[in-house]
Amino acid sequence: MKTIKKLNILAMALLVSTGVFAQKQITKTAHVNIFSSTVAEDISADNYVTMTSINTETGEMLFSIPVQGFEFKKSMMQRHFNNSNFMDSKQFPKIKFKGKIDDLSKVDFTKDGEYTVTVSGDLTIRAVTKSITEKGTISIANGKITTTSVFIVKGIFDYGVGKPTSKKKANNVAENIKVTVKAQF
């Protein structure tokens, strides 16, 4: 009788813990693309090693983007991006976003569909944190969650990212960066 009681308690604990874990979805392979257009040339880089989590109960979201994970078509661009004059990826190895879905009640995570949401939170680049609010889409298909957002990070120099010191170099760096984020859980 005691063994059956212990098994029932163990089974209930497993069910409760499974429910808790199902609320928080995590992926380590979210895709982040950055794009800027300058007089000199267009610059684009992709990062496929971004850790992202979403809590379907609270709407909390977290993105941790390793700066050195960005891949450029030109190796020189990648070196410039990571050096101390620009992103300084050795001293500031990650870009972070911590926020929350403002209108979580619009999303039914148990039902297939596409939901447009607003997400607010803090974006940290080079140890400078600014509050941002952006639109995004949450898609549910066969129980799988996909989040997507396209937005502009304005005033990149305000985050301490290397502001060009000469007019010649000013044509090579855009102050506003288009960011596309897609995560599949």
Side-chain angles (χ1 to χ4, degrees), residues 27-166:
T27 183
K28 294 180 180 177
T29 58
H31 175 222
V32 178
N33 172 270
I34 55 175
F35 176 82
S36 68
S37 185
T38 67
V39 173
E41 65 186 315
D42 291 344
I43 299 168
S44 181
D46 292 293
N47 185 319
Y48 293 95
V49 291
T50 297
M51 193 288 298
T52 306
S53 68
I54 183 172
N55 185 315
T56 59
E57 290 289 315
T58 64
E60 293 174 349
M61 298 186 82
L62 176 69
F63 288 81
S64 180
I65 308 164
V67 175
Q68 289 189 2
F70 282 99
E71 298 173 3
F72 293 77
K73 290 182 178 161
K74 295 180 180 178
S75 61
M76 186 171 62
M77 281 184 187
Q78 192 154 339
R79 280 194 306 276
H80 286 171
F81 180 78
N82 285 295
N83 78 26
S84 61
N85 294 330
F86 203 73
M87 289 299 293
D88 197 358
S89 60
K90 287 185 181 174
Q91 185 172 349
F92 306 105
K94 294 186 180 185
I95 298 168
K96 294 182 182 176
F97 174 79
K98 184 176 182 179
K100 193 170 186 176
I101 302 168
D102 295 335
D103 43 4
L104 184 64
S105 62
K106 291 170 59 174
V107 183
D108 183 349
F109 287 98
T110 64
K111 185 175 159 185
D112 285 1
E114 192 168 285
Y115 307 91
T116 300
V117 295
T118 302
V119 178
S120 297
D122 294 326
L123 177 64
T124 303
I125 302 172
R126 285 185 54 126
V128 175
T129 302
K130 294 184 175 277
S131 295
I132 64 171
T133 300
E134 299 295 341
K135 294 282 186 198
T137 303
I138 296 176
S139 302
I140 318 293
N142 300 319
K144 303 276 186 193
I145 301 169
T146 301
T147 60
T148 308
S149 184
V150 179
F151 58 96
I152 304 293
V153 175
K154 297 177 182 170
I156 197 72
F157 304 137
D158 295 338
Y159 284 95
V161 175
K163 189 172 186 174
T165 54
S166 71

